[in-house]
Amino acid sequence: MKNSIVPATSFRDAAPAIPGTTDIAPVDLTPQPMDDEESRDGGAKLRRYWAAIKRFRWLIVVLVALGTAAGITATRFIDPVYEARGALWIADVGTGNGGGAYRPPELLPNGSWVQLVRSFAVVDKVVAEEHLWVKGKTWKDSLALAGIEPGQRTVPGDYTLWSDSTKGIYSLGEAKKGIFEHGTLGDSVGRSVGLAWAPTRASLQGNEQVRFTVVQPRSVSVDLIGRLNVSMQENSNFLTLTLTGAEKWETAQLLNVWMKQFLTTAGELRRSSLDNQANILATQRGSAESGMRDAENALQSFRSNAITKPKEYTGSSDATSIGIAPPQEGLSTEYFKNQTAYQDIKRSRESLQALIPSARQGNFSPDVLAAIPAIQSAPMLGSALKDLIEQE
């Protein structure tokens, strides 16, 4: 029979009985028929599950209620955190070693760009531009604070500005110190507490009481730096920025302003670096030009000292026999003739240049031109000058 194991009779008979032992009957391994309930195992499991649910139904209801309440509480009292991400392409080309046009040196290495975007030179301007250091109690107060700027030593506190538009006066007070300043609208307000603010009647928009809170701008900058994550991989031109915040739109706007301010600061550094390079190159150019001028003067002096009177050629018969012809006669006479003509032209030019100022002033006399050697040696010019003198 299939799935049945029956020991063979011959095998059992062949095994001798061991004295002192008990004969063990063989186990019948023939499958027994299954009951109807066990054959429906799936239905039994479902019934057991349902019985457990019915037994612990109140415990399950309490746990579900507690979980729902905890979720609602978490959404009401736990602030969500949003992330705004941006990327900048840093294209800074260093000085080339090969030939070609001059290239300025690299402005900053890759690691320094991360330090620059997190520096106070960038973050402080972002805090001032977005007015993160001052906050109005109401939206009307925030509109009235549109032109306020932080000073060098801003004192934190809760301030109130009382104004009288009819009289054009104001009073400034602080929650702990009370009223400590009076003045006229349009003047500087809060200079003693580090505020750069000059409100007018138009800027206040009829708000006679402006309440606002001031915090230290540098502390706001430190908090922003802690919320910013900047990364730049080695040998990469991408600068990745991630800013976290509780308000998604304000966080995205703040990151955009941060990136723009970073580009502005980097541009100022680039212009300053280029100006320094231009000054260095101008100094080097002046030094090279001075050295070239000295070399030209030395060369001219050498040439002047090297020029000597040409000597008459006294050739030998050997030089004539090999084809070297003697120089033409009158070489030294021609040389001195050209030198004399050059000196005459030079003196004539100097004389004409000396007469130019008097001619512009109207004190020019044609008789003076007759004494110039160049005019004397030019018959047609001399004749024209003579006719002009006779006509005058």
Side-chain angles (χ1 to χ4, degrees):
M1 181 182 294
K2 187 177 180 181
N3 296 330
S4 299
I5 304 176
V6 180
T9 304
S10 59
F11 177 80
R12 185 173 55 189
D13 296 340
I18 302 176
T21 60
T22 304
D23 189 8
I24 300 175
V27 179
D28 188 4
L29 299 178
T30 304
Q32 300 296 327
M34 300 178 62
D35 298 336
D36 295 338
E37 294 182 358
E38 294 180 357
S39 62
R40 293 174 297 189
D41 192 20
K45 289 182 178 179
L46 291 177
R47 284 193 296 270
R48 286 196 298 269
Y49 292 156
W50 178 248
I53 293 174
K54 290 174 64 178
R55 181 181 302 175
F56 302 102
R57 59 183 180 275
W58 294 113
L59 179 60
I60 295 174
V61 171
V62 171
L63 292 177
V64 171
L66 290 177
T68 305
I72 295 175
T73 304
T75 56
R76 294 298 183 93
F77 297 99
I78 299 177
D79 296 331
V81 178
Y82 298 94
E83 286 187 356
R85 299 181 180 181
L88 293 172
W89 171 265
I90 307 297
D92 193 11
V93 182
T95 305
N97 296 326
Y102 170 78
R103 293 182 179 180
E106 184 180 8
L107 181 60
L108 291 174
N110 285 357
S112 299
W113 290 112
V114 177
Q115 299 177 3
L116 177 62
V117 75
R118 295 170 61 92
S119 64
F120 291 114
V122 178
V123 185
D124 288 345
K125 295 180 181 179
V126 174
V127 173
E129 182 177 351
E130 293 297 307
H131 295 89
L132 301 178
W133 59 281
V134 59
K135 184 178 181 180
K137 298 297 183 180
T138 63
W139 64 271
K140 291 184 178 181
D141 297 337
S142 299
L143 291 178
L145 296 171
I148 192 170
E149 296 292 338
Q152 294 182 355
R153 297 181 179 179
T154 304
V155 179
D158 294 328
Y159 295 90
T160 303
L161 177 71
W162 293 275
S163 62
D164 188 349
S165 58
T166 58
K167 298 181 181 180
I169 59 176
Y170 74 89
S171 298
L172 182 63
E174 202 269 332
K176 297 181 180 180
K177 297 190 299 183
I179 299 176
F180 61 92
E181 182 177 326
H182 300 275
T184 305
L185 290 177
D187 295 339
S188 179
V189 176
R191 184 179 299 176
S192 59
V193 292
L195 302 180
W197 188 26
T200 60
R201 298 178 183 179
S203 63
L204 293 178
Q205 300 180 2
N207 191 1
E208 296 183 354
Q209 184 178 358
V210 180
R211 296 178 301 168
F212 57 96
T213 302
V214 174
V215 296
Q216 189 66 29
R218 180 54 59 87
S219 63
V220 180
S221 300
V222 173
D223 179 68
L224 284 181
I225 293 175
R227 292 163 49 188
L228 181 69
N229 184 19
V230 187
S231 62
M232 188 174 187
Q233 297 181 358
E234 188 176 359
N235 299 326
S236 175
N237 291 68
F238 281 105
L239 185 66
T240 305
L241 298 89
T242 303
L243 182 65
T244 59
E247 299 292 337
K248 55 182 178 180
W249 301 117
E250 293 181 0
T251 304
Q253 173 66 18
L254 182 59
L255 182 60
N256 290 330
V257 174
W258 201 326
M259 294 168 64
K260 292 180 180 179
Q261 185 59 48
F262 168 75
L263 295 177
T264 301
T265 306
E268 293 175 355
L269 290 178
R270 168 59 67 187
R271 285 190 293 271
S272 177
S273 176
L274 292 178
D275 291 340
N276 294 334
Q277 291 295 320
N279 295 333
I280 294 174
L281 291 177
T283 303
Q284 294 178 354
R285 178 180 175 273
S287 178
E289 184 177 359
S290 177
M292 184 182 66
R293 189 180 299 108
D294 295 341
E296 289 180 350
N297 294 334
L299 178 60
Q300 186 66 26
S301 176
F302 172 77
R303 288 177 176 178
S304 301
N305 296 330
I307 295 176
T308 56
K309 179 180 177 182
K311 298 181 179 179
E312 296 295 338
Y313 178 76
T314 54
S316 61
S317 57
D318 297 335
T320 305
S321 62
I322 61 176
I324 299 178
Q328 298 179 359
E329 296 181 359
L331 179 61
S332 40
T333 304
E334 185 69 18
Y335 169 79
F336 286 110
K337 182 179 179 180
N338 293 335
Q339 285 292 105
T340 303
Y342 169 76
Q343 295 296 331
D344 292 340
I345 294 174
K346 184 177 180 181
R347 286 193 296 269
S348 300
R349 179 184 177 184
E350 294 175 352
S351 301
L352 291 174
Q353 289 179 347
L355 293 175
I356 291 176
S358 59
R360 291 178 177 176
Q361 297 176 0
N363 299 327
F364 175 75
S365 178
D367 297 335
V368 182
L369 296 175
I372 297 177
I375 297 178
Q376 294 177 358
S377 60
M380 297 181 64
L381 185 59
S383 177
L385 182 62
K386 183 178 180 181
D387 294 340
L388 178 61
I389 295 173
E390 290 176 357
Q391 291 178 3
E392 291 183 351

